[in-house]
Amino acid sequence: MTLTVMAWLAGACFVTSATMAQTAPPPGSAAPTGDNAVLLTVFFKHDQSRPLSELNAQLDKQGFRKAFPPAGVEVVSWYVVMGIGQVVTLRLPASRLREVNRIIEDTAWGPYRTEFYPTYDYKAVGMAEHDKATSN
């Protein structure tokens, strides 16, 4: 499963010229499951050259709060990091990664600069390795 997720992520990073001219994709309805879920950590770095009231007004004008997070995408965590902005971790089916990206491009850019970190759940594997190492 780990290799499958890694292969998918590598493939997702390869963008053809046809997908560069993106249109908004239809909202997905797939639910994240053990074999298709990815975690996506998004850093929303706020524009510190502008007051918060301006940033919030632009986010409202662009529809960020209505569109993000999209229905059916699980918010795992959402923190304010002082001096940086917000850090949000989502759990979603891999097939909806493009949809989430487009929502952020359309509604968050301007007030925020963004960074994305797609990951996968390694907890069960890591804990099993720890248990094995400590039981010997």
Side-chain angles (χ1 to χ4, degrees), residues 9 39 82-83 86 106:
L9 288 172
L39 295 171
M82 294 182 346
Q86 299 178 29
D106 289 340

Side-chain angles (χ1 to χ4, degrees), residues 96-109:
R96 296 192 63 194
L97 186 61
R98 180 174 177 253
E99 173 191 354
V100 171
N101 181 60
R102 288 289 298 164
I103 287 169
I104 292 169
E105 288 176 347
D106 289 340
T107 66
W109 284 5

Side-chain angles (χ1 to χ4, degrees), residues 2-136:
T2 301
L3 289 176
T4 302
V5 173
M6 288 174 45
W8 180 88
L9 288 172
C13 293
F14 180 76
V15 179
T16 65
S17 60
T19 60
M20 293 298 284
Q22 296 183 21
T23 57
S29 60
T33 62
D35 64 343
N36 77 356
V38 294
L39 295 171
L40 180 65
T41 300
V42 183
F43 277 62
F44 290 101
K45 295 183 172 185
H46 58 263
D47 180 354
Q48 294 183 11
S49 70
R50 297 168 51 202
L52 184 59
S53 59
E54 279 184 26
L55 299 177
N56 284 330
Q58 186 176 355
L59 288 169
D60 290 339
K61 180 181 175 188
Q62 293 173 189
F64 174 75
R65 291 181 178 94
K66 287 183 180 180
F68 184 85
V73 170
E74 178 188 353
V75 176
V76 176
S77 65
W78 193 327
Y79 294 100
V80 169
V81 181
M82 294 182 346
I84 294 176
Q86 299 178 29
V87 178
V88 181
T89 301
L90 307 171
R91 180 178 288 113
L92 61 141
S95 62
R96 296 192 63 194
L97 186 61
R98 180 174 177 253
E99 173 191 354
V100 171
N101 181 60
R102 288 289 298 164
I103 287 169
I104 292 169
E105 288 176 347
D106 289 340
T107 66
W109 284 5
Y112 295 119
R113 287 177 297 112
T114 55
E115 293 180 17
F116 298 87
Y117 299 94
T119 59
Y120 54 91
D121 189 349
Y122 191 73
K123 181 179 177 181
V125 174
M127 294 307 297
E129 300 254 336
H130 171 76
D131 292 347
K132 180 180 173 186
T134 57
S135 68
N136 291 334

